[in-house]
């Protein structure tokens, strides 16, 4: 789960990290008022969306008067900002963060991530801030310094000092950088973050400020971090994924037209591959999990059909813990209660498969039955193609 920059900065502030003074605004009037509250002569108006690279997309506007702040707010609020991280639909700007400007003497990149291979928190820093980390690792790979945290002892001051030296800082800045880095580490650890990125962390008049902050959290740990769950902003999420996750389904939205309802993440991945090989494009990844009841199957249909781009639904079940008869009941229930306005391909295999097939034949005769994974993918793609040519002919 992602949070906004201003929310991440509130967490950093509690750990004593220096930040430009700022305030939140939901309207142009409020934005101008915030600027007057902050005082000074220059402000940055920052679009709060769940994405980085806002600057290049026009989401960060430098202003020289309260009037300019108001105009910038007018322009940004309600607009959809398309960055290279949002996809073409972009993200709606509903909130702005107004900040005092800070003179930038040096820009530093500082990132905390979970290194899955090392199974440890890794800190990545570079003296070439301002650029994105992908760009830094391409153009200035030698500028990158790293530290890996031993989970048994946690991050130690000397590791932060090594980073500070590696960044070429000296004098009083070393101690200040160590404080900032250790503060970030505590925020990362204490809230079960999965990513914390400060880009840029800047040196300004012998002080160190976090000018930007991006943070994501491990969704599996949110149950024990209610203060983080509260920061969720559903308006920034894919509505298809929000609908599914609110119902306890594991769903990832994709760009194609073949909706998928599958049990098991591995089988789901294999099915997506097979659809592609057969010449189609999956609309989603959906794992119904083990022991899925007919109700859960019907719910999955609701989630998949939320996506108006779906032109075919493919159900692929290899039942071990699951039961094909329950899945078949679920399919019948979905046809009855949800309504499935597109061709439906079902492949059942494993536990209670005979009963499952019988139920389908009896209660869901419109279903296209498939035998194997390959057969299912090909039938789904064929159904999609014939639907397309029918609509083109019409
Ligand atoms: P991002 O594009 O989403 O990463 O947003 P940032 O908050 O990092 O802002 C983009 C860029 O705007 C930064 O890299 C800075 O170069 C610039 N910027 C942001 N705040 C300030 C500021 O207070 N003073 C100055 N001079 N530049 C700023
Ligand atoms: Mn940034």
């Amino acid at each position: 789960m992602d949070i906004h920059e201003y929310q991440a900065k509130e967490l950093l502030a509690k750990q004593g990290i220096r930040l430009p003074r700022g305030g939140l605004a939901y309207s142009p009037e409020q934005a101008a008022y915030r600027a007057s509250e902050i005082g000074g002569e220059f402000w940055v108006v920052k679009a709060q969306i769940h994405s980085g690279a806002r600057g290049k997309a026009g989401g960060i506007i430098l202003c020289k008067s309260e009037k300019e702040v108001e105009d910038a707010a007018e322009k940004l609020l309600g607009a959809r900002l398309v960055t290279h991280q949002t996809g073409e639909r972009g993200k709606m700007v509903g909130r702005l963060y107004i900040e005092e400007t800070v003179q930038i003497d040096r820009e530093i990149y500082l990132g905390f991530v979970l290194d899955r291979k090392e199974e440890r928190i890794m800190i990545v820093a570079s003296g070439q801030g301002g650029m994105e980390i992908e760009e830094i690792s391409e153009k200035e790979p030698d500028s990158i310094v790293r530290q890996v945290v031993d989970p048994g002892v946690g991050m130690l001051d000397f590791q932060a000092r090594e980073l500070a030296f590696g960044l070429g800082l000296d004098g009083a800045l070393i101690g200040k950088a160590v404080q900032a880095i250790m503060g970030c580490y505590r925020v990362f650890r204490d809230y079960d973050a999965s990513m914390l990125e400060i880009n840029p962390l800047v040196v300004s008049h012998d002080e160190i400020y976090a000018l930007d902050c991006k943070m994501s959290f491990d969704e599996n740990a949110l149950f024990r971090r209610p203060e983080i769950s509260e920061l969720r902003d559903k308006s920034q999420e894919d509505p298809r994924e929000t609908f599914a996750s609110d119902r306890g389904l594991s769903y990832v939205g994709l760009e194609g037209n073949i909706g998928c309802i599958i049990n098991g993440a591995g089988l789901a991945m294999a099915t997506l591959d097979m659809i592609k090989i057969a010449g189609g494009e999956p609309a989603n990844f959906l794992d119904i999990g083990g022991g899925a009841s007919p109700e859960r199957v019907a719910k999955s249909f609701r989630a998949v059909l939320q996506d108006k781009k779906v032109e075919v639904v493919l159900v692929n079940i290899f039942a071990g813990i699951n039961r094909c008869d329950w899945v078949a009941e679920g399919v019948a229930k979905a046809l009855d209660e949800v309504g499935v306005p597109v061709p439906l391909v079902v492949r059942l295999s494993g536990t209670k498969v005979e009963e499952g097939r019988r139920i389908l034949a009896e209660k869901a005769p419109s279903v296209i039955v498939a035998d194997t994974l390959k057969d299912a993918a090909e039938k789904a793609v064929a159904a999609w193609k014939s639907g397309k040519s029918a609509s083109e002919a019409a």
Side-chain angles (χ1 to χ4, degrees), residues 44 46 51-55 60 100-102 104 107 199-200 211-212:
V44 262
K46 311 186 79 177
S51 167
R54 296 161 301 168
I60 309 286
E100 66 176 343
T101 53
V102 170
I104 301 177
E107 289 187 295
N199 191 21
L211 234 58
D212 186 15

Side-chain angles (χ1 to χ4, degrees), residues 21 35-43 63-66 100-101:
R21 286 182 307 135
S36 73
E37 245 182 357
I38 295 163
E41 290 174 72
F42 302 101
W43 301 268
C63 299
K64 295 190 276 299
S65 67
E66 283 172 29
E100 66 176 343
T101 53

Side-chain angles (χ1 to χ4, degrees), residues 20 129 161:
R161 264 199 306 281

